[in-house]
Amino acid sequence: MQLRIDHHPDPMMGMMPLFCAIDFGLFQKRGIEPVFVERTNVQAIEDMRSGRMDLSFSGPTLTIMAHEKFGLDTKFVSAAALRGSYNGHSADFMNIVAAKGVDIRVPADFEGKTIAVFALDGGITHSAPLYLFNKHGVDAATIHWKTMPFHRMADAMAAGEVDVAVNVEPFVTLMRRRDLGTTVDEVFGAGSLAMAATGNPSLVSNWWTTRQAYEEKPELFEAVNAALNEAIERIYADQGAALDAMSRQTGQRLDLLREIGFQTSFFHACPMNAPEIRGMYEDWVRVLQGAGLLQGPVDCGRFF
């Protein structure tokens, strides 16, 4: 069985189970042949709709928005990265970096700023800040949004193109070590963007497919879920071996992920219909509604 996988432009901690499943032969032993497919746009929604891909990686907000706003019937396959504390694991990090000389002491200080985000499609780096701006009375109409890949945000800040970047690890730490700015998530009162938006715990990335693809090949996606769950078990059995596997599969040294990766995100093996993950989806629906990006009720059961 061939599995055509969304090739995300920014390899990050949440992808570790996938790379380990490939490197440890966990797909192979289930008869799955993984093949990476390049995106034709910043997000993979249209690639998934057209059938170019079988499996995509994103935040759960995009999985939700793909159905609610873009008419693509999506289905959860596997949890990727979580933050906060859950089931014996704890990890978190700050997302929001303010450039040197940009003073962010209270939420209103974001007004008039140019903010870098991955995309303006309801993804977490867009919807969570927008939700918090609305919650704290910030005039979001004054914000100047600038979209770019996560790895580009440091150079954009260094060049003075943006005042603030809503980024992910390891790029947040790279920005701090280049002395480009400081993290300011605390102004929202909960220690990090994810905790301020959803509360604890927070699902921040996941693997998903389309309902049509699942109904055509349910055995493929059940096997994918099982392989990724086994990969998570192997990761926690030997974190060093897992990092080595990810390094081999990405061709990157991953020095920073070796240093901070397990402090920033954790993994949770679960079935495709896990009630705890559905609860985390419901948290993100509340965020999307509070951000003004969704109106009306959403049945999260349809994603499971």
Side-chain angles (χ1 to χ4, degrees):
M1 298 181 291
Q2 187 178 77
L3 177 69
R4 297 165 301 166
I5 305 168
D6 169 17
H7 187 218
H8 193 281
D10 292 308
M12 59 190 76
M13 192 69 178
M15 298 179 183
M16 181 180 284
L18 177 82
F19 292 124
C20 287
I22 295 171
D23 197 81
F24 297 157
L26 306 182
F27 285 140
Q28 183 180 14
K29 80 175 187 178
R30 292 173 169 87
I32 299 171
E33 177 193 359
V35 177
F36 284 101
V37 178
E38 296 291 336
R39 295 180 174 190
T40 58
N41 209 329
V42 65
Q43 297 285 17
I45 291 174
E46 295 309 317
D47 293 309
M48 293 291 284
R49 191 195 309 275
S50 69
R52 291 186 67 243
M53 299 173 179
D54 302 304
L55 188 70
S56 185
F57 177 89
S58 74
T61 56
L62 188 78
T63 316
I64 295 164
M65 291 290 284
H67 178 266
E68 299 298 320
K69 287 295 186 182
F70 303 110
L72 181 63
D73 201 355
T74 51
K75 178 172 173 56
F76 170 84
V77 173
S78 180
L82 289 85
R83 289 163 58 183
S85 298
Y86 186 74
N87 200 29
H89 299 292
S90 295
D92 200 9
F93 66 90
M94 297 190 198
N95 291 88
I96 309 172
V97 181
K100 290 183 74 172
V102 175
D103 193 22
I104 304 289
R105 296 177 183 269
V106 296
D109 290 334
F110 286 100
E111 292 181 357
K113 301 298 188 291
T114 298
I115 301 180
V117 295
F118 186 76
L120 295 176
D121 50 16
I124 289 174
T125 63
H126 173 221
S127 61
L130 191 54
Y131 163 73
L132 293 168
F133 292 158
N134 290 343
K135 180 179 178 180
H136 290 272
V138 176
D139 185 358
T142 68
I143 303 296
H144 307 284
W145 303 95
K146 194 161 189 176
T147 61
M148 63 188 69
F150 294 124
H151 68 264
R152 263 268 300 134
M153 292 182 184
D155 288 341
M157 185 168 283
E161 298 173 17
V162 299
D163 303 307
V164 175
V166 188
N167 210 335
V168 297
E169 290 288 12
F171 306 108
V172 171
T173 295
L174 287 171
M175 294 175 79
R176 294 172 65 184
R177 291 186 179 178
R178 286 178 61 179
D179 198 27
L180 295 175
T182 57
T183 52
V184 296
D185 300 46
E186 300 103 319
V187 301
F188 293 115
S192 74
L193 179 69
M195 295 301 99
T198 66
N200 177 63
S202 186
L203 176 72
V204 294
S205 57
N206 65 182
W207 294 97
W208 57 275
T209 188
T210 64
R211 178 69 58 179
Q212 178 179 346
Y214 175 77
E215 290 178 352
E216 290 174 353
K217 296 178 286 186
E219 69 285 351
L220 170 62
F221 296 102
E222 295 291 347
V224 168
N225 174 266
L228 293 174
N229 285 342
E230 184 178 351
I232 290 170
E233 294 174 5
R234 296 276 295 271
I235 287 167
Y236 282 118
D238 191 335
Q239 295 179 7
L243 284 158
D244 289 342
M246 185 170 178
S247 179
R248 285 190 293 270
Q249 292 299 318
T250 61
Q252 299 179 17
R253 288 172 53 90
L254 305 180
D255 291 338
L256 195 51
L257 276 185
R258 292 177 188 277
E259 179 184 344
I260 68 168
F262 286 94
Q263 301 168 32
T264 65
S265 304
F266 65 90
F267 306 113
H268 175 58
C270 62
M272 292 178 66
N273 61 351
E276 67 273 22
I277 299 298
R278 176 172 172 170
M280 295 179 211
Y281 262 60
E282 290 168 352
D283 292 334
W284 281 115
V285 165
R286 174 178 51 79
V287 169
L288 289 164
Q289 291 168 335
L293 298 172
L294 284 182
Q295 290 76 41
V298 174
D299 176 14
C300 286
R302 70 173 308 113
F303 302 108
F304 296 90

